[in-house]
Amino acid sequence: MSILDSIQKTFQPQVPKTSSIVVVGTVAFDSIETPFGKSDRIIGGAATYISLAASYFNKNINLISVVGGDFPKEQILLMNARGVKTEGLQIIEDEKSFFWKGSYHLDMNTRDTLITDLNVLAGFDPKVPESYQDCDYLMLGNLTPTIQTTVINRLRHRPKLIVLDTMNFWMEHTPKELAVALEMIDVLTINDAEARELSGEYSLVKAAKKILERGPRYLIIKKGEHGALLFHENNVFFAPALPLEEVFDPTGAGDAFAGGFIGYLAQTDDISYENMKRAIIYGSTMASFCVEKFGTERLVSITEDDIEERVQDFVDLVQFDISLVE
Ligand code: AMP
């Protein structure tokens, strides 16, 4: 070997390893009614929105979920094309996919769940493929808390960060299982009404204190068009939501938020509190795109430039100069 060869061998540039994300959650059909229109049986599900949003930041996303034989195969291929691996997506041919129907009130911030058909989710036993082991980030999207904890237990090593999203349905149907899950995670994301329900406190500050005592070190409370709050120890950070001219369908906004949040953390591979503040802005950005069209339509049609432009809009929205009298 020449001296040059040996120098090149010694000083090969270190290509940084891309962090991997495992996403767990529903992949579903949704029927949605808003004051502006209706859409029947479109593709939805928490894990769908999370994976699509995260795919703009990271190309090592590994999905764990279950669908029935009625789920269109081309949707799975579309996810694959966006860098989402689906080895952990089980297809139960003779069963039906999870189905959810919701109706939004005029304020578009509140909704009624009209139907939740668990279908294939009822007997779901999540498998963690060998290629998903050693993942760096785990995003537990909204689904049965027992499935969320089963996935944590089936990973050989604890990921750097475990984020869990849940909703009132699980707080009411499986409170004990949810309590176990809370003890195992780092970040909990819920909306304001759910934070109040989970803690029994009206004040979100008091609610956050109580929830942080139950396990997670970080709590994100999403407030729809009123932004999001990040609580950690005695610190609070607030990110606004972008005032948008048109909001068509808020479905999946919370999941798109979670996808942008975890995607950005994985891309930067930095889980400090300061970086989480930036991640919340990226999460809010993805949520702002999500609501502009029905279902996942907008989320699959944006570019990286669109994202950066919108992040700039967020920066401009909250930037001001003020001189405080000493
Ligand atoms: P979000 O608007 O962010 O709360 O998420 C809406 C998505 O969550 C829809 O696409 C539904 O398919 C899914 N979803 C609704 N209810 C549940 C539930 N109980 N468990 C899991 N996913 C659900």
Side-chain angles (χ1 to χ4, degrees):
M1 191 190 291
S2 72
I3 293 180
L4 191 64
D5 284 344
S6 77
I7 290 174
Q8 275 175 343
K9 209 165 176 212
T10 318
F11 293 104
Q12 262 170 10
Q14 292 288 307
V15 180
K17 176 184 157 278
T18 312
S19 299
S20 57
I21 309 175
V22 166
V23 174
V24 187
T26 43
V27 172
F29 287 117
D30 291 342
S31 281
I32 301 157
E33 290 172 11
T34 78
F36 306 106
K38 266 179 167 193
S39 77
D40 208 22
R41 283 181 74 78
I42 54 172
I43 302 297
T48 308
Y49 285 101
I50 293 170
S51 303
L52 289 175
S55 71
Y56 287 89
F57 303 91
N58 181 287
K59 293 289 178 213
N60 195 353
I61 297 168
N62 303 280
L63 176 66
I64 295 181
S65 191
V66 63
V67 289
D70 53 354
F71 197 79
K73 307 283 178 291
E74 60 274 18
Q75 280 301 323
I76 301 174
L77 294 175
L78 199 140
M79 293 244 227
N80 297 150
R82 290 216 49 89
V84 180
K85 299 184 188 96
T86 48
E87 205 187 325
L89 174 67
Q90 296 174 40
I91 303 174
I92 314 289
E93 287 297 343
D94 53 358
E95 286 188 43
K96 284 203 224 154
S97 303
F98 178 85
F99 174 71
W100 176 77
K101 181 170 183 171
S103 171
Y104 287 86
H105 301 173
L106 245 188
D107 67 5
M108 294 287 257
N109 243 2
T110 46
R111 70 183 177 202
D112 294 323
T113 288
L114 304 179
I115 303 174
T116 302
D117 282 339
L118 295 180
N119 295 330
V120 81
L121 191 67
F124 179 42
D125 181 25
K127 303 271 176 318
V128 180
E130 188 53 36
S131 62
Y132 289 21
Q133 290 290 351
D134 304 321
C135 77
D136 301 295
Y137 293 84
L138 176 59
M139 179 66 233
L140 298 167
N142 185 19
L143 90 180
T144 329
T146 313
I147 296 175
Q148 295 174 316
T149 49
T150 301
V151 173
I152 301 177
N153 290 328
R154 288 185 179 169
L155 286 170
R156 268 199 301 268
H157 306 289
R158 193 188 193 280
K160 272 183 208 164
L161 195 78
I162 305 180
V163 182
L164 182 142
D165 186 46
T166 190
M167 72 186 290
N168 55 349
F169 184 87
W170 304 113
M171 291 171 192
E172 288 151 25
H173 288 80
T174 53
K176 284 199 191 115
E177 292 82 351
L178 182 59
V180 173
L182 292 183
E183 286 176 9
M184 299 171 80
I185 60 161
D186 301 299
V187 185
L188 173 68
T189 72
I190 44 178
N191 71 31
D192 44 355
E194 290 155 357
R196 290 183 171 120
E197 181 166 342
L198 189 61
S199 63
E201 293 285 352
Y202 180 79
S203 151
L204 292 180
V205 177
K206 283 188 183 163
K209 266 197 190 138
K210 275 199 173 170
I211 294 169
L212 289 175
E213 278 165 12
R214 295 182 59 182
R217 288 178 297 125
Y218 300 87
L219 170 69
I220 297 173
I221 300 184
K222 300 165 285 180
K223 288 157 58 71
E225 64 171 329
H226 303 298
L229 293 161
L230 167 66
F231 292 90
H232 173 57
E233 295 171 350
N234 290 323
N235 307 304
V236 194
F237 171 72
F238 170 69
L242 208 61
L244 294 170
E245 215 163 293
E246 311 219 76
V247 174
F248 271 104
D249 171 18
T251 308
D255 306 313
F257 176 96
F261 176 76
I262 197 99
Y264 180 78
L265 289 179
Q267 185 192 54
T268 51
D269 205 14
D270 172 357
I271 55 169
S272 64
Y273 178 63
E274 286 310 308
N275 203 45
M276 280 198 195
K277 293 181 186 176
R278 286 185 280 273
I280 282 189
I281 300 294
Y282 278 91
S284 305
T285 299
M286 300 314 285
S288 77
F289 285 119
C290 181
V291 302
E292 286 180 333
K293 292 214 171 133
F294 264 101
T296 56
E297 202 184 331
R298 184 76 176 112
L299 219 45
V300 292
S301 67
I302 49 177
T303 64
E304 261 111 53
D305 286 347
D306 292 333
I307 296 174
E308 288 311 310
E309 258 175 51
R310 196 154 282 191
V311 167
Q312 186 59 49
D313 291 343
F314 270 93
V315 173
D316 295 343
L317 183 69
V318 288
Q319 207 159 45
F320 53 86
D321 279 327
I322 211 163
S323 321
L324 292 174
V325 185
E326 291 287 312

